[in-house]
Amino acid sequence: MTQPADPSLEQVPADAIAVPQPHCRPGDEPDFSRLNFPGVDSARRPAVDESPEHMRELAYGLIRVLDENGDAGGAWNPGLDGDTLRRALRAMVLTRLFDDRMFRAQRQGKTSFYMKCTGEEAIGCAQAMVLTTDDMFFPTYRVQGILISRGYPLVQMMNQIYSNASDPLQGRQLPILYSAREYGFFSLSGNVGTQYCQAVGWAMANAYKQNGHIAAAFIGDGSTATYDFHHALNFAAVYRAPVILNITNNQWAISSFQGIAGGEQTTFAARGIGYGLPALRVDGNDFLAVHAATDWAAQRARRGLGATVIEFYTYRAEGHSTSDDPSKYRPKDEAAHWPMGDPVARLKQHLLKLGESSEEQHQAMEVELTAQVRAASREAESVGTLGQSKPPVGEMFEQVFKSPDWRLQRQRKEVEG
Amino acid sequence: MATMTMIQALNSAMDVMMERDPTVLVFGEDAGYFGGVFRATDGLQRKYGASRCFDAPIAEGGIVATAIGMGANGLRPVVEIQFVDYIYPAYDQLVSEAARLRYRSGGEFWAPITVRSPYGGGIMGGQTHSQSPEAIFTHVPGLKTVIPSNPYDAKGLLISAIEDDDPVIFLEPKRIYNGPFDGHHDRPLQPWQKHPASEVPEGHYTVPLGVAAIRRPGKTVTVLAYGTMVHVALAAVEESGIDAEVIDLRSLVPLDLETIVTSVSKTGRCVIVHEAPQTSGFAGELMALIQQHCFYHLEAPIERVTGWDTPYPHAFEWDYFISPARVIAALRRAVEAV
């Protein structure tokens, strides 16, 4: 029996199903006037042991430290010293330079794929400075700043990107899906969101071992729609896991704006409230705010008070990846109009205002770091770029299991001859 | 030595491992205070505390993901998926994450997790409590798939699974939790106490993964089976009077190819029995391997007796469940083929 035709369907208007739309599309003037950003004094900083139900407003406001003039203020000001701030800026600049170099390398055919974190450098770099390498990050593909902040060898990152003979992951992983246990960086998955609840499990193991270490997971605004996200919040709340559950709201999940993941309905931070977790909404382009919020959440976790949800409010200034063309779905120059500014420029401005750096020092640093990236690039390229060199083919059959079974042994023999 | 049902043997395996190894944790839906709906984890929370054995939210994906994180961080979690029919929400975590973690991280991280789950038909569970999805997991590089057929093996294999550094899907044939089943639903179930394999040591021992067991030696035809079907096959062989060799595979990955090839090369004939639907079932893989390795010894086409290619129907359970009669018919076809 077939379904009978429904004559009323002929009358369906184009907007019968409510599909959220971004405020601007290609050809429109970028317009963020609808966004209202509170001042640096607007957010109070609760004691770390305060009950989550008494701090709900923090999920709807915005924690900021750096104001429009580059001055630090408000209850969340971490009061970092000049050395720490210079180290932070250096890591962020290096991350940006690394991204630019690898993006060009992809365009030159030296690798198949690359993803930049332009505009989001403060997030990874700040968290890496707050947590230790005994803690474990469960990263996304846009927090390479963690590795760079921690001094992971750039050459090794490039070798992974080039899948060359020195690739630490033996040519098995897509470029940028790093793994660096010694640096507190969990193996990256290409399936988005899957790492979120794994981080909770890792953190539960820390609690079980009573070792004082914590975990921190990242997820994008788009991936908050996955069930993994909700599993993680629920498990973290139920078992009071020592974990920081970060959400990077960079407004775009490939071409889908954050409203498609439910961002128009409430804030992403507010998801935490429903699970009884403390939830902070933080200016993700403000290094000091990211640092302060992370430190607060880490203290909670280390004191056995459980998980914190943090939404970092930011903007993905570049395309999703080298395979993406953002001008097809948003105004070309939208990034330049992002009202929260650029994280590198803002921290630089702050240092200049403090007198902890100068334009000349900054330029000298950029020259130095550019040379560092170039040197690393040359070294990696001397090993080989994609297709020019690769690990021994036998590596393809290793580590499927701890020890290969007869099938893998036979298949390896067939390939190796 | 004690006499145990399969459930008791499984319980004993977890007990022994929790006693020996503080990194072993057990959790799952209703697995804590209540001890599991099939009582496999009974008493473990009382004995080891709620930090070692606990209830989980009804979220299979979350259970497996949490276990992966724990496993990667040095623990050996044993999780229970209440019925394997509910494992699909955890599928992504199993096949994309647990199975590949060691490979994709260059050996930096791995997930030594054991995922226990009752599977198979025969308890009037309908389509949502009766499935046999083992072939799905055998297709995934990086996962091991283990299925015991008696209490002794259940304990020894489960201990091996828990001690294994790779993720193991441990499927428990719930039809035979409390006694071996001969395929005749109109006969009373025999208790395990009358079966020699119910003599189970109380302490630690292992049955290695990847080693099949010859349950009945024979010369005329080889029968390959696992789980409940081992008992159905044995009943069928006995009733048929055919001198068949019955091999219990015990684990599908790793697979004991040598025992299979030796037996089929000797008998020249083979019947494969599994509960799962036929198309793309594990019997297909076995047939391909036998064809490849025993072709010049084969005297007859390889037979397979499997579940039907339908969901598991509630009212027709015993029309779906493989009867000894179907196995006998296949044995006859194999033996009589010229």
Side-chain angles (χ1 to χ4, degrees):
Chain A
M1 196 169 132
T2 54
Q3 292 274 358
D6 182 349
S8 70
L9 288 177
E10 290 168 18
Q11 313 300 322
V12 175
D15 59 353
I17 293 176
V19 179
Q21 295 296 330
H23 294 267
C24 307
R25 283 299 194 187
D28 296 337
E29 281 294 311
D31 178 15
F32 292 109
S33 60
R34 71 192 182 283
L35 303 180
N36 178 28
F37 299 114
V40 296
D41 292 321
S42 67
R44 73 184 179 95
R45 186 182 187 281
V48 293
D49 60 354
E50 188 166 317
S51 165
E53 65 188 274
H54 295 133
M55 58 176 91
R56 294 182 180 189
E57 84 281 3
L58 293 172
Y60 299 99
L62 196 70
I63 292 171
R64 300 177 63 197
V65 174
L66 283 174
D67 67 14
E68 291 75 7
N69 303 314
D71 293 318
W76 287 86
N77 185 359
L80 302 178
D81 60 47
D83 279 347
T84 305
L85 293 172
R86 274 189 294 272
R87 203 151 38 88
L89 185 61
R90 192 180 171 85
M92 288 163 65
V93 169
L94 184 57
T95 301
R96 186 163 292 184
L97 291 170
F98 181 89
D99 272 356
D100 288 343
R101 184 85 190 186
M102 290 296 95
F103 188 90
R104 283 205 307 280
Q106 192 278 338
R107 291 295 188 244
Q108 292 163 351
K110 293 173 181 170
T111 182
S112 59
F113 184 73
Y114 193 73
M115 295 171 102
K116 299 168 95 171
C117 67
T118 311
E120 302 171 37
E121 291 90 344
I123 298 168
C125 292
Q127 288 227 323
M129 291 176 76
V130 175
L131 304 192
T132 76
T133 52
D134 289 327
D135 303 317
M136 186 59 71
F137 279 110
F138 286 71
T140 62
Y141 38 65
R142 237 179 279 283
V143 285
Q144 54 269 53
I146 293 171
L147 291 175
I148 290 172
S149 296
R150 291 184 163 171
Y152 185 88
L154 300 185
V155 177
Q156 203 149 307
M157 290 175 79
M158 291 172 177
N159 288 336
Q160 199 280 319
I161 291 164
Y162 292 151
S163 294
N164 65 21
S166 299
D167 175 0
L169 304 183
Q170 290 88 26
R172 299 176 192 149
Q173 265 282 42
L174 202 65
I176 73 165
L177 299 186
Y178 313 106
S179 179
R181 185 172 191 132
E182 293 301 308
Y183 290 76
F185 194 93
F186 195 74
S187 156
L188 262 160
S189 179
N191 295 24
V192 293
T194 51
Q195 73 285 355
Y196 221 51
C197 201
Q198 293 168 12
V200 176
W202 183 284
M204 289 170 70
N206 285 338
Y208 180 76
K209 297 184 204 173
Q210 302 180 76
N211 61 15
H213 306 317
I214 67 173
F218 283 97
I219 201 166
D221 50 273
S223 305
T224 60
T226 64
Y227 51 54
D228 295 289
F229 172 77
H230 297 279
H231 288 156
L233 266 62
N234 192 33
F235 278 65
V238 167
Y239 298 119
R240 215 184 321 131
V243 62
I244 303 175
L245 296 169
N246 299 302
I247 304 158
T248 304
N249 176 6
N250 67 10
Q251 315 300 320
W252 293 95
I254 307 186
S255 71
S256 299
F257 89 118
Q258 48 91 28
I260 293 296
E264 302 292 274
Q265 317 308 318
T266 186
T267 69
F268 290 104
R271 267 72 167 169
I273 292 175
Y275 291 95
L277 293 170
L280 313 177
R281 192 159 170 267
V282 177
D283 178 356
N285 288 16
D286 176 347
F287 176 89
L288 296 178
V290 177
H291 191 288
T294 306
D295 186 50
W296 186 90
Q299 284 185 45
R300 271 188 66 85
R302 291 195 208 285
R303 287 175 54 176
L305 297 165
T308 300
V309 173
I310 306 179
E311 174 186 350
F312 291 118
Y313 199 72
T314 183
Y315 185 87
R316 193 193 77 210
E318 296 279 357
H320 169 73
S321 74
T322 46
S323 306
D324 180 30
D325 179 2
S327 69
K328 298 283 190 213
Y329 52 81
R330 69 185 190 190
K332 235 176 190 161
D333 55 346
E334 195 180 65
H337 292 78
W338 180 244
M340 308 304 285
D342 173 81
V344 175
R346 285 176 68 187
L347 187 59
K348 176 189 164 192
Q349 184 192 19
H350 181 57
L351 273 159
L352 293 179
K353 286 209 82 172
L354 288 177
E356 293 286 352
S357 184
S358 65
E359 276 294 351
E360 294 73 33
Q361 284 172 308
H362 189 83
Q363 281 179 16
M365 178 179 74
E366 285 197 333
V367 168
E368 179 205 335
L369 296 179
T370 302
Q372 188 183 332
V373 171
R374 190 180 296 133
S377 183
R378 282 201 190 115
E379 190 180 337
E381 287 183 24
S382 73
V383 179
T385 55
L386 182 66
Q388 291 182 334
S389 91
K390 57 184 178 184
V393 70
E395 287 292 341
M396 185 164 70
F397 298 95
E398 289 295 319
Q399 288 159 340
V400 176
F401 297 107
K402 188 177 182 184
S403 306
D405 62 14
W406 58 266
R407 302 169 304 166
L408 293 163
Q409 288 167 356
R410 287 182 188 187
Q411 290 165 20
R412 178 175 183 160
K413 204 170 169 189
E414 189 178 332
V415 167
E416 291 183 330
Chain B
M1 196 78 86
T3 298
M4 295 187 195
T5 66
M6 190 184 285
I7 279 285
Q8 290 166 336
L10 293 163
N11 182 276
S12 177
M14 287 181 272
D15 187 3
V16 164
M17 288 308 295
M18 291 177 88
E19 179 88 45
R20 283 168 66 97
D21 183 352
T23 69
V24 176
L25 271 61
V26 171
F27 64 102
E29 295 158 19
D30 302 299
Y33 184 84
F34 182 54
V37 293
F38 288 102
R39 316 319 313 275
T41 55
D42 191 27
L44 298 178
Q45 187 177 81
R46 276 196 303 282
K47 190 166 176 185
Y48 299 102
S51 288
R52 300 282 305 276
C53 177
F54 51 90
D55 295 320
I58 302 175
E60 287 77 11
I63 291 169
V64 171
T66 309
I68 292 169
M70 287 181 177
N73 198 2
L75 304 186
R76 290 192 180 276
V78 182
V79 298
E80 177 175 299
I81 301 297
Q82 204 160 72
F83 286 86
V84 81
D85 314 67
Y86 308 157
I87 208 167
Y88 303 108
Y91 186 70
D92 188 36
Q93 286 290 339
L94 287 168
V95 309
S96 308
E97 303 296 317
R100 293 190 217 153
L101 186 55
R102 185 192 296 280
Y103 192 75
R104 78 177 196 218
S105 70
E108 285 197 324
F109 300 97
W110 60 94
I113 68 172
T114 303
V115 180
R116 290 182 40 245
S117 193
Y119 90 105
I123 62 153
M124 295 303 288
Q127 50 162 334
T128 54
H129 299 74
S130 307
Q131 295 174 63
S132 301
E134 64 273 14
I136 292 173
F137 297 110
T138 64
H139 191 60
V140 179
L143 290 181
K144 294 180 176 174
T145 304
V146 176
I147 304 177
S149 72
N150 62 58
Y152 181 90
D153 281 2
K155 180 172 175 181
L157 288 168
L158 183 55
I159 289 174
S160 291
I162 296 170
E163 291 179 340
D164 200 283
D165 283 335
D166 295 312
V168 179
I169 310 290
F170 193 91
L171 298 179
E172 300 165 4
K174 58 185 174 287
R175 172 75 255 189
I176 55 172
Y177 266 159
N178 293 309
F181 182 63
D182 66 3
H184 296 283
H185 67 277
D186 46 354
R187 292 185 199 162
L189 196 70
Q190 295 300 307
W192 274 116
Q193 281 78 355
K194 293 184 179 174
H195 196 285
S198 68
E199 292 292 317
V200 177
E202 289 180 3
H204 178 274
Y205 69 92
T206 59
V207 173
L209 309 185
V211 180
I214 297 172
R215 297 296 175 205
R216 182 197 186 283
K219 296 183 181 132
T220 312
V221 53
T222 299
V223 182
L224 303 180
Y226 48 89
T228 308
M229 289 304 116
V230 171
H231 302 275
V232 175
L234 286 167
V237 167
E238 190 183 333
E239 288 172 34
S240 70
I242 294 169
D243 183 22
E245 182 150 287
V246 179
I247 295 176
D248 178 355
L249 297 179
R250 298 204 284 203
S251 72
L252 309 187
V253 176
L255 180 71
D256 185 351
L257 181 63
E258 196 180 334
T259 297
I260 296 168
V261 169
T262 302
S263 177
V264 178
S265 298
K266 176 180 72 179
T267 62
R269 300 164 199 272
C270 185
V271 174
I272 303 162
V273 190
H274 67 53
E275 290 184 71
Q278 182 171 106
T279 304
S280 302
F282 197 68
E285 176 63 22
L286 293 169
M287 292 168 91
L289 287 168
I290 293 165
Q291 186 278 143
Q292 184 185 355
H293 295 279
C294 310
F295 181 77
Y296 293 107
H297 298 277
L298 286 175
E299 307 278 350
I302 305 162
E303 292 282 341
R304 56 179 162 172
V305 184
T306 70
W308 310 117
D309 283 321
T310 72
Y312 211 106
H314 182 253
F316 306 109
E317 173 154 67
W318 300 111
D319 301 289
Y320 190 100
F321 203 89
I322 293 165
S323 63
R326 282 185 63 202
V327 180
I328 290 169
L331 286 168
R332 297 233 158 92
R333 285 196 300 275
V335 171
E336 289 163 12
V338 180

